[in-house]
Amino acid sequence: MGLGFRRELAESLFEAPAGSFDFVELAPENYLGFGGRRRRLLRKATAQWPVIAHGLALSLGGEDPFDPGYLDSLAQFLSDIGTPHYSDHLCVGSAEGRHSHELLPLPLTLSCARHCAKRVKEVTEALGLPMAVEHVSAYGCWPEDEMSEADFVTEVVEASGCGLLLDVNNLYVNASNFGFDPYQMLERMPLEETLQIHVAGHRLRSDGLRIDTHSEPILDQVYALLAEALKRTGPVPILIERDDRFPPLEDLFLEVERVRNIARRAFCAG
Amino acid sequence: MPGESLVRFVLDPNPGPPPFARADLYRVFTRKIHLDILEVAFPRFLSAMGRRRLEEMMDSFLELKGPSTLQYPCVPDEFLAWAVSSGHPAHELLNYERAAVRAERHPAELDHLYAPGQDERGRLNPTVDVFVTAEPVHTIAAEPPASPSSHGPYVYLCWRRPRTDELARQRVGPLLGRALGLLGVEALTREAWLHRALEEESADPEAYREALLDLHRELVSREGILRAGDPD
Ligand SMILES: [Fe+2]
């Protein structure tokens, strides 16, 4: 069970009783090449806990060529922090060298899935460690869509040989936003290839649209989806994503405990 | 890939019809996350010029250039570079604010470095960020001062102190700024530095020597000058 290593929380996480959580996750983009306080926090974190890296900016569904210099520095960084795998999102972030810094949804087409798979392979080779892809929350769908999101993700995972980062909150948000049954979506995901799971909270707008904010408590329905997912994924690192409107740390630890209990039950039953 | 049309849609000035329903939400989100980071990066600009000005500049930046960095924390640096290259009148203030972050994030390893003793050779702290402006940007405020400011140029230095990561700033005139430049290229004892600086300037030697000594003392005490040694 892990928590996102947010600089806003860092000092209190360092003071937390041992065993409150088992690992931290961080985005290399927020540390790569920086000295000063960020480097100090990073070193302290890697000395205290296992660290898993989760990227935000590779734009796996885009066409901008990867910067080999960036991938080299990233590979070095990942090796330095000792992450067991690296993940990034199945989305597009940049075009013609301009970066939106948003996780923009991709058209769910076979050609797009194969394009992503090719890019994932390229990154995996450059980084030299296992890679997982995360499906993103979405608020609209492309007229070009020709397959379900689960089939799209499966195609990328199978064609690239990468792992899955299953985000049960994203899955729930998309099922609700597009009127699908989340359990059916889950059923079709390549869960056997799961390397890691994310759980988080989201915001429900008055018009019914769910926005993936990572700033709210986790919904009961998302916990239930997690329990179901764990039956097929087996024991994998589970991370609670909380990026904003931070509650007292004790509240986060209660979420950690609840997830731990769900995992215990899932594995005992299995 | 059709996905890229969504990137163009969220960044372009006149993006045309959205590629799908609710795509405009992503345009709003993109602006919000960029405004968020710029507000944090440039608080003085924000309070002196207002949110509206910053938002207008951000829109122009996104639409005319857009960030090319993959690293979100570096967006303000690219925004600043764009403001400088486009000759934006506020670029000196933005630069003044960003200097602190450049010094704070400078990758040099400092913790093994200490201030030099009396006869030891010292050099500028490797994180020192130096920039020169025509305007006294440190005085820029929402309300301009009643009396006109003195004439520049102004040399601003900002650095990160070893071990505490504390930031320090110093403002000097161009003469002293040039003299400090000597310690940027070479480690010198205080006496050797005084000698070299006095050799290179034709200012009143007594007054200049006093000013150099004061500055050296000040920078040593605040670890802007560090004992010579391999900084990395
Ligand atoms: Fe996630």
Side-chain angles (χ1 to χ4, degrees), chain A residues 14 47 57 61 67-68 100 104 110 127 131 136 173 178 189 228 233 238 241 245 248 250 254 262 264:
Chain A
F14 287 130
D67 170 359
S100 67
L104 304 173
L110 190 61
L127 299 182
M131 172 116 187
V136 296
V173 163
F178 303 119
M189 281 282 188
E228 191 59 28
T233 62
I238 306 170
E241 296 186 289
R245 289 168 29 103
E250 302 75 56
L254 286 179
I262 289 171
R264 259 182 230 121

Side-chain angles (χ1 to χ4, degrees), chain A residues 81-115:
Chain A
I81 64 169
T83 184
H85 57 259
Y86 186 57
S87 55
D88 204 319
H89 302 79
L90 283 178
C91 70
V92 57
S94 69
E96 291 115 21
R98 287 191 302 164
H99 216 290
S100 67
H101 292 283
E102 268 294 325
L103 307 173
L104 304 173
L106 291 166
L108 304 175
T109 64
L110 190 61
S111 71
C112 185
R114 291 193 174 150
H115 173 72

Side-chain angles (χ1 to χ4, degrees), chain A residues 29-30 32 35-40 43 57 63 96-102 105 138-139 141-143 209, chain B residues 1-2 4 8 12 20 22 26 29-30 33-34 65 67-71 104-109 111 165:
Chain A
E29 291 89 340
N30 293 336
L32 199 54
R37 179 166 182 257
R38 287 184 192 235
R39 181 169 58 204
R40 210 176 285 284
R43 286 185 179 158
E63 286 194 279
E96 291 115 21
R98 287 191 302 164
H99 216 290
S100 67
H101 292 283
E102 268 294 325
Y139 313 116
C141 50
W142 289 84
L209 191 71
Chain B
M1 278 291 135
E4 295 205 330
R8 287 189 283 274
D12 282 354
F20 54 76
R22 290 204 291 242
Y26 290 103
F29 292 161
T30 298
I33 59 159
H34 284 90
K65 186 178 179 300
S68 64
T69 176
L70 272 82
Q71 294 185 259
E104 203 284 321
R105 289 186 185 162
H106 193 288
E109 300 273 5
D111 288 356
D165 294 339

Side-chain angles (χ1 to χ4, degrees), chain B residues 121-124 181-188 196:
Chain B
R121 292 185 312 135
R123 68 189 323 155
L124 281 184
L182 295 169
L183 291 174
V185 287
E186 186 176 3
L188 297 167
R196 291 275 297 278

Side-chain angles (χ1 to χ4, degrees), chain A residues 54 89 134-135 165 167 170 198 212 214 241:
Chain A
H54 176 54
H89 302 79
E134 177 178 0
H135 50 105
L165 195 163
D167 187 315
N170 292 357
H198 280 173
D212 182 22
H214 298 177
E241 296 186 289

